[in-house]
Amino acid sequence: MDRLTIQVGSYEVNCSILYESGLAWIVDPGQEGDRIAGLIEGKGLVPAAILLTHAHFDHISGIPALKKRFPDLPVYVHPADMPMFGHPMNQYPGEYASIGVPENLKDVADLPSVLPSVSVIETPGHTPGGVCYHFPQDALLLSGDTLFAGSIGRTDFPGGSMARMVESLRLLTALPDGTLVIPGHGPHTTIAAEKRSNPYLV
Ligand SMILES: [Zn+2]
Ligand SMILES: [Zn+2]
């Protein structure tokens, strides 16, 4: 599995394009959907699906531009985050206007049937339906807004829970030390580095 990670939108979300055998899997297209589509087409790839770590506006706002170019593209998300689409609280006027409910929403539990190399880890806490995408063969974790380098995601938004966040972090620290972690925002890290120095984990 090859990977390209770019920062999109003024919230600088890490959007990753994972690709293999000519197919591209787009994780958290938070903004700049046309730029993401251009990168995929420039590599001669066919987009297979959009994968969301959670449905906050800064992670989903590139979806309409992608769906305009690729209308049938499925959007995988945890069902507990589906009510956030079109919710009046889940937008920021201007750059992050509401995108409504995307068509072809899929339950992320069904993702491994089309992408067998992924293990979906349910990590509620930042949002009720937060997930992390673990690729064991690539020693790669896309941790969304659950785990950051040196920090963790906020739990004080609607639907957030520190108690559930603690349980979710426990699942992540059980992953192999050498796992590369690409958070939803900010620099890359590893499970080992976070276990050593992240104040929320030590
Ligand atoms: Zn978030
Ligand atoms: Zn975010």
Side-chain angles (χ1 to χ4, degrees):
M1 181 88 77
D2 290 306
R3 175 178 58 85
L4 179 67
T5 300
I6 60 171
Q7 287 72 49
V8 296
S10 56
Y11 279 72
E12 299 186 331
V13 159
N14 287 320
C15 168
S16 290
I17 301 166
L18 307 171
Y19 55 102
E20 190 169 57
S21 309
L23 292 176
W25 309 82
I26 307 157
V27 183
D28 286 357
Q31 198 44 283
E32 304 183 50
D34 286 327
R35 178 181 166 210
I36 296 165
L39 288 168
I40 290 170
E41 290 175 333
K43 288 183 176 294
L45 301 167
V46 174
I50 293 169
L51 281 49
L52 301 177
T53 59
H54 64 298
H56 272 155
F57 64 81
D58 55 325
H59 295 252
I60 65 173
S61 294
I63 292 176
L66 283 165
K67 297 281 276 184
K68 210 169 170 184
R69 301 271 277 271
F70 314 110
D72 300 328
L73 204 57
V75 179
Y76 286 90
V77 66
H78 192 288
D81 268 18
M82 287 184 186
M84 293 167 66
F85 290 105
H87 193 284
M89 293 288 285
N90 192 31
Q91 58 179 303
Y92 192 83
E95 182 183 351
Y96 294 103
S98 175
I99 67 161
V101 184
E103 284 178 25
N104 207 7
L105 274 185
K106 304 254 193 202
D107 185 338
V108 75
D110 296 331
L111 180 62
S113 66
V114 292
L115 183 60
S117 58
V118 74
S119 159
V120 179
I121 306 174
E122 294 187 40
T123 52
H126 177 66
T127 64
V131 300
C132 294
Y133 296 105
H134 183 217
F135 295 85
Q137 290 155 359
D138 296 285
L140 173 68
L141 180 77
L142 305 178
S143 64
D145 289 2
T146 299
L147 178 62
F148 298 125
S151 189
I152 61 171
R154 289 174 61 168
T155 56
D156 58 336
F157 293 127
S161 160
M162 185 48 107
R164 300 184 81 190
M165 173 63 92
V166 168
E167 290 305 312
S168 295
L169 293 170
R170 212 185 299 276
L171 298 176
L172 300 186
T173 52
L175 297 176
D177 277 350
T179 306
L180 175 68
V181 179
I182 301 185
H185 305 262
H188 304 172
T189 183
T190 63
I191 292 295
E194 294 314 299
K195 278 161 67 177
R196 201 161 53 229
S197 61
N198 188 315
Y200 296 91
L201 301 187
V202 295

